[in-house]
Amino acid sequence: MKPPTLGEFEELVLLAVAAQHDQAYGVSIQSSLEEHLRKKLNISAIHVALKRMVDKGFVQSQFGGITKSRG
């Protein structure tokens, strides 16, 4: 069985997650990537990439409650 690989977009999302440590969440990843790439990204694309990376074992995910900073 081949080891899992990352696509280009998944790699960008993973870099954004790594830069934000354990404070990364969908909207913060989207904002960071939009700032660096200078283009608009769909939040659904971020969530799909994160789900694929969870399935591949590259990241772990958890659901948290609403906070003041996350809305």
Side-chain angles (χ1 to χ4, degrees), residues 8-9 20 25 30 35-37 39-40 45 48 52-53 55 58 60 63 65 68:
E8 181 180 354
F9 186 70
Q20 297 178 29
Y25 62 101
Q30 179 188 26
E35 179 182 334
H36 287 87
L37 298 174
K39 68 184 220 179
K40 196 79 171 141
V48 168
R52 283 193 309 252
M53 288 190 295
D55 293 345
F58 285 102
Q60 293 180 342
F63 287 100
K68 189 174 185 178

Side-chain angles (χ1 to χ4, degrees), residues 4-15:
T5 59
L6 292 176
E8 181 180 354
F9 186 70
E10 290 173 328
E11 188 173 343
L12 291 170
V13 172
L14 184 59
L15 289 169

Side-chain angles (χ1 to χ4, degrees), residues 16-34:
V17 169
Q20 297 178 29
H21 306 287
D22 62 345
Q23 300 300 311
Y25 62 101
V27 174
S28 69
I29 295 166
Q30 179 188 26
S31 297
S32 175
L33 289 177
E34 286 180 347

